Amino acid sequence: MVPAKVNCAASAVFKFTDQQTVRKVIRALPPVGVGTYYGIPQTRAASLYSPRQLFQKSTMTLRWQKGEVSNFQYLMFLNTIAGRSFCDLNQYPVFPWVLTNYESDTLDLTDSNNYRDLSKPIGVLNPTRHAQFLERYASWDENDDIPPFHYGTHYSTSGFTLAWMIRVEPFATQFLNLQGGKFDHPGRTFCSIIRSWKNCQRDTSDVKELIPELYYLPEMFLNSNNFTFGIDDDGLVIDDVELPKWASSPEEFVMLHRAVSALLWLLYAVILVNSVGVAALESRYVSAHLHEWVDLIFGFKQKGPEAEKATNVFFHLTYEGNVDLDSIADPVMREAVEQQIKSFGQTPSQLLHEPHVPRIPPETPITEEEEPFKSIYLTFKVTSDVPVTHVAANTDSSVPSPAVVTISCNQCFSVNKWITSADPKRSLRGVQVEQDPMLATSAGRQKRQLGEPLDQSVTPCACCFVVTADNKYIMACGYWDNSFKCFSADGGKLTQCVFGHWDVVTCLAYSRHVGLIGGDALVVSGSRDATVLVWRWSEKLQRVAATDREEGDNPSPLAILTGHEQPVVCVDVNASLGLVVSGSQEGPCLLHTTAGNLLRTLRGPGDCVRPRLLKLSRDGLVVVNYTDGTGHLAVFTINGRLLSDKKLDDQMLALALNKDGNFFVSGGFSRYLRLWRTHDLCLLHTYPPCDGSIRALAISTDQRCLVAGLASGSILAIAVNFPGRL
């Protein structure tokens, strides 16, 4: 079977009869390889690499060592190249248990005693049970045709996956099909995190690990479909999953669980005057020991003498290559062996034969004694007394020209060069922003003007503009001819007019693909005609185009998103998730796929019906600001659940999420910048007032700088430390 990911962000698995057919199909397809995100060339040869070759040729391990990708991302990478897929229940991605404390009222994430020993298999953690597995292996009859093993069951099977996900469709239906139309006995139904952990410590037939959903999907713990699971032997009605006492909700459990997995590296150092670190969501322990677990599941301790030493030998049919199904001529015998493999589970492809390298420990943040707190480190005028209405901070070193790009209400833009010193990790003293020299002369200012006039009914705001990730092009909307336009950031030259709407385009959003899809981006436009259109930005052609071969100025949208009955006023897109969220003038927000399918309607809390701003995080949280009353904030899951809402005392004009979406910064008429935690809308910090209302916000790529555009015509940069390690 060959997994594939297509441009609409959907995944599919194709089953071919033999390797020769696979080669023919790959020769017929474009040379996409496995995508650029893994650092592997986009060639047809790369599509035929073995799992071990993919591991060796990828840059992901080095990036993980440096902290450029999270533990979660790295585990998903290993699972993917080792043949694990969300499309195959028999080879579902496998993740580790990392905690042992599920019973206390609070959870101290700095205490190593709360963590599982990742150097040992689940079956070894309990000494008594470990002895039983050792005895089984030592006493095995050498004359038996079946090789000796420690564990008769596996850490990952289709049955285990369905049991974890029994409250969520389509897994519930698949479970019922597997069980003859009935749910399992209530005593065996997944109903408690604590019980599941204890069971895999004492039951010799339970050595299962976890699945990724326990780190990102709070809905799996809720019986939202009102299934009847029955009553267990203790008289407990099986309904929602019982969570540890230290988690007050499924969302909090997932947030803390992910923090333990080092998905969240919380802001530290200079956010608060007296702060030297917020360690509650940061787990150096897991990052320091995760490579040991990788050795067991994907590495040199997976099989052979090292697996025997580590008490990590499973039933022989679970290992890749131990059975040649093509050599079994009898169809009945072949089906029986296939069913055995499905029942016993399947071990991932072995990726390395030597110990996995450890992660490089993060550097200790510079303390206040070494570098005094300095909040605002840079401010200058861009357009005197003309509000700065849009800011982009594409400052990554991989960008040809790192810069802070600003656009003002009079459509004057600036490209302010971002200069990083040789030691950029020393907070923000190693960064300079060179003011755009073109603004110093009249002739230069002419080259910094988006010359096309806006419709007289349009008030320029942040959502009217987007800047491409390489800082080379600016897209703008609000024109009388119902188009949005692309301009060169080099000289302000109009390069393309994109038509598709029947009324004025009111908002734009841009998202570059991250992951397997490649380097292109999606552009989304919302209009007064109540539709949202999805477009493809071709980095090769440097224009909006349906394909890299498309010519002419009339590209077709990839999808038309409908469902609104009022003019669309705000929109956001995440190309990696394949999702678009949009809000209309007086109506609910809608969540679509980038292929055009309407997924959810997000109805505001109470009487909130006027969304102004919205953001979609990479982890699937939607933050919406409503203008009803004095303002209202709400945060939803992509499954439509309202997690939290809060009334405001100030109309919000700008909002920026950090990279992982767990925090955001807001600003408005009150001139105060505020830092929030996303999932519960907890206000963490309020900065001193700026010299004007805040019209635009952006966070630099390295998460170390917050840039704000002000009504006074100034921009200012503030030292934050959303971590570089995400």
Side-chain angles (χ1 to χ4, degrees):
M1 292 189 294
V2 179
K5 199 173 183 73
V6 294
N7 271 339
C8 63
S11 296
V13 172
F14 298 93
K15 185 175 182 179
F16 299 103
T17 55
D18 52 52
Q19 188 67 17
Q20 189 61 34
T21 305
V22 173
R23 293 179 180 276
K24 289 180 181 179
V25 171
I26 289 174
R27 283 197 294 268
L29 292 174
V32 295
V34 295
T36 58
Y37 186 66
Y38 293 163
I40 299 171
Q42 287 186 280
T43 63
R44 291 185 175 89
S47 297
L48 294 171
Y49 284 164
S50 68
R52 194 172 302 156
Q53 287 175 314
L54 290 172
F55 179 81
Q56 292 169 343
K57 295 179 181 295
S58 171
T59 60
M60 287 291 284
T61 299
L62 180 60
R63 291 168 63 194
W64 172 77
Q65 277 191 285
K66 294 180 177 180
E68 295 174 5
V69 297
S70 69
N71 290 348
F72 185 96
Q73 291 170 312
Y74 188 60
L75 287 173
M76 282 307 306
F77 159 71
L78 295 176
N79 274 281
T80 300
I81 65 171
R84 316 299 285 190
S85 169
F86 288 108
C87 298
D88 187 355
L89 289 174
N90 295 306
Q91 298 189 81
Y92 210 73
V94 55
F95 270 57
W97 289 93
V98 293
L99 282 176
T100 60
N101 182 357
Y102 297 100
E103 299 186 71
S104 64
D105 294 335
T106 58
L107 182 64
D108 182 1
L109 297 178
T110 64
D111 185 355
S112 61
N113 292 320
N114 287 330
Y115 295 92
R116 164 218 176 156
D117 185 345
L118 289 166
S119 68
K120 298 178 180 179
I122 281 289
V124 175
L125 298 179
N126 182 333
T128 302
R129 195 169 64 151
H130 182 202
Q132 293 174 340
F133 291 133
L134 289 174
E135 183 181 357
R136 170 193 286 172
Y137 192 90
S139 61
W140 197 263
D141 187 353
E142 295 181 359
N143 296 319
D144 200 317
D145 292 336
I146 299 175
F149 56 84
H150 294 114
Y151 312 111
T153 58
H154 205 255
Y155 49 75
S156 175
T157 68
S158 60
F160 292 162
T161 299
L162 292 175
W164 286 123
M165 299 293 291
I166 197 169
R167 290 164 177 80
V168 181
E169 291 289 10
F171 299 94
T173 297
Q174 291 176 296
F175 188 95
L176 291 172
N177 292 337
L178 183 68
Q179 294 285 111
K182 296 181 180 180
F183 288 115
D184 203 353
H185 186 279
R188 292 191 295 269
T189 299
F190 170 47
C191 63
S192 167
I193 295 290
I194 305 167
R195 186 181 298 185
S196 295
W197 169 250
K198 287 182 176 180
N199 200 56
C200 75
Q201 297 306 297
R202 62 193 177 203
D203 189 340
T204 55
S205 64
D206 186 353
V207 292
K208 61 176 174 285
E209 295 277 10
L210 302 183
I211 57 176
E213 282 81 353
L214 276 94
Y215 293 94
Y216 71 80
L217 188 67
E219 284 80 6
M220 70 172 288
F221 304 110
L222 299 173
N223 186 18
S224 302
N225 293 306
N226 297 316
F227 294 127
T228 302
F229 297 115
I231 302 173
D232 68 8
D233 296 336
D234 297 327
L236 177 68
V237 177
I238 306 300
D239 192 36
D240 294 341
V241 175
E242 180 189 4
L243 299 173
K245 294 177 182 179
W246 44 258
S248 61
S249 67
E251 289 76 25
E252 185 174 12
F253 174 80
V254 166
M255 185 192 71
L256 290 173
H257 213 196
R258 292 176 59 151
V260 171
S261 294
L263 261 176
L264 312 180
W265 290 75
L266 194 57
L267 65 167
Y268 55 81
V270 295
I271 281 189
L272 303 177
V273 175
N274 296 317
S275 173
V276 294
V278 183
L281 299 183
E282 187 176 321
S283 174
R284 295 192 179 187
Y285 180 90
V286 173
S287 292
H289 296 277
L290 187 61
H291 65 284
E292 297 172 328
W293 184 83
V294 172
D295 287 336
L296 295 169
I297 306 300
F298 302 100
F300 79 112
K301 294 182 180 180
Q302 185 197 87
K303 55 186 176 182
E306 293 296 334
E308 183 179 346
K309 293 178 185 177
T311 319
N312 195 40
V313 180
F314 291 85
F315 190 72
H316 71 288
L317 289 181
T318 69
Y319 292 99
E320 182 181 41
N322 275 13
V323 178
D324 183 6
L325 291 175
D326 294 332
S327 66
I328 303 176
D330 185 348
V332 176
M333 180 61 71
R334 176 175 176 139
E335 183 179 357
V337 173
E338 287 179 343
Q339 288 302 319
Q340 274 188 302
I341 293 173
K342 289 180 181 180
S343 299
F344 284 112
Q346 292 177 258
T347 300
S349 297
Q350 191 173 24
L351 301 179
L352 64 168
H353 290 158
E354 60 283 331
H356 191 287
V357 293
R359 199 175 198 185
I360 301 171
E363 293 185 5
T364 303
I366 296 169
T367 64
E368 197 167 333
E369 288 70 31
E370 294 173 280
E371 180 173 324
F373 175 79
K374 188 176 182 180
S375 179
I376 299 173
Y377 76 94
L378 178 68
T379 180
F380 58 80
K381 288 279 187 182
V382 178
T383 47
S384 183
D385 298 322
V386 179
V388 176
T389 193
H390 184 88
V391 175
N394 298 314
T395 60
D396 190 78
S397 58
S398 63
V399 176
S401 301
V404 174
V405 179
T406 72
I407 307 167
S408 299
C409 279
N410 61 358
Q411 293 184 273
C412 178
F413 69 93
S414 68
V415 181
N416 308 282
K417 190 174 181 181
W418 179 275
I419 304 170
T420 305
S421 73
D423 185 16
K425 294 181 180 179
R426 289 191 60 83
S427 186
L428 289 165
R429 289 187 171 182
V431 172
Q432 296 178 355
V433 181
E434 181 182 282
Q435 189 171 3
D436 192 340
M438 301 290 284
L439 299 179
T441 65
S442 177
R445 287 193 294 272
Q446 288 293 322
K447 293 184 178 181
R448 288 291 185 258
Q449 192 72 36
L450 306 178
E452 297 292 316
L454 299 180
D455 186 88
Q456 61 182 3
S457 64
V458 173
T459 301
C461 60
C463 63
C464 291
F465 307 95
V466 295
V467 178
T468 57
D470 56 10
N471 293 322
K472 291 182 178 180
Y473 291 88
I474 297 170
M475 288 174 246
C477 66
Y479 299 102
W480 63 272
D481 62 358
N482 307 334
S483 72
F484 70 89
K485 304 181 189 297
C486 305
F487 300 88
S488 167
D490 183 35
K493 179 182 178 182
L494 176 65
T495 61
Q496 187 180 19
C497 293
V498 182
F499 295 93
H501 288 284
W502 293 94
D503 206 334
V504 173
V505 181
T506 55
C507 49
L508 295 171
Y510 170 96
S511 178
R512 195 169 183 268
H513 282 297
V514 176
L516 299 176
I517 302 176
D520 288 334
L522 293 182
V523 177
V524 172
S525 59
S527 168
R528 289 177 183 168
D529 65 10
T531 66
V532 176
L533 302 185
V534 181
W535 310 84
R536 174 177 174 267
W537 174 262
S538 169
E539 293 199 350
K540 179 180 179 181
L541 300 178
Q542 296 284 272
R543 61 190 294 112
V544 175
T547 69
D548 283 340
R549 300 176 183 175
E550 185 172 310
E551 298 179 358
D553 288 329
N554 296 305
S556 300
L558 300 179
I560 301 174
L561 280 50
T562 60
H564 290 293
E565 298 179 355
Q566 299 287 332
V568 177
V569 295
C570 50
V571 68
D572 198 14
V573 58
N574 187 296
S576 300
L577 295 179
L579 295 176
V580 177
V581 61
S582 54
S584 60
Q585 190 167 288
E586 289 191 8
C589 296
L590 301 181
L591 187 72
H592 289 83
T593 67
T594 51
N597 301 315
L598 177 61
L599 298 178
R600 295 284 187 271
T601 298
L602 310 179
R603 302 194 181 277
D607 298 327
C608 294
V609 294
R610 296 182 179 88
R612 179 204 294 268
L613 304 169
L614 49 76
K615 291 292 181 180
L616 173 61
S617 81
R618 73 179 189 184
D619 290 334
L621 294 181
V622 181
V623 181
V624 185
N625 166 239
Y626 297 90
T627 61
D628 302 80
T630 57
H632 209 109
L633 265 178
V635 58
F636 301 86
T637 70
I638 56 173
N639 290 309
R641 291 187 64 226
L642 176 65
L643 293 184
S644 183
D645 69 282
K646 183 174 295 245
K647 289 184 179 181
L648 304 175
D649 56 6
D650 172 40
Q651 286 291 351
M652 194 180 290
L653 299 176
L655 190 156
L657 287 168
N658 78 319
K659 186 180 291 186
D660 62 13
N662 291 289
F663 306 95
F664 68 92
V665 183
S666 69
F669 286 117
S670 70
R671 302 184 295 137
Y672 288 101
L673 281 166
R674 293 185 169 95
L675 174 66
W676 307 79
R677 189 168 58 215
T678 305
H679 86 279
D680 59 357
L681 296 179
C682 175
L683 180 61
L684 300 176
H685 184 60
T686 301
Y687 287 93
C690 304
D691 66 0
S693 61
I694 299 157
R695 302 299 182 90
L697 289 169
I699 298 173
S700 63
T701 309
D702 64 4
Q703 306 291 283
R704 295 177 181 272
C705 178
L706 170 66
V707 182
L710 307 180
S712 62
S714 299
I715 64 170
L716 61 85
I718 297 178
V720 295
N721 223 332
F722 295 112
R725 280 201 159 196
L726 291 172

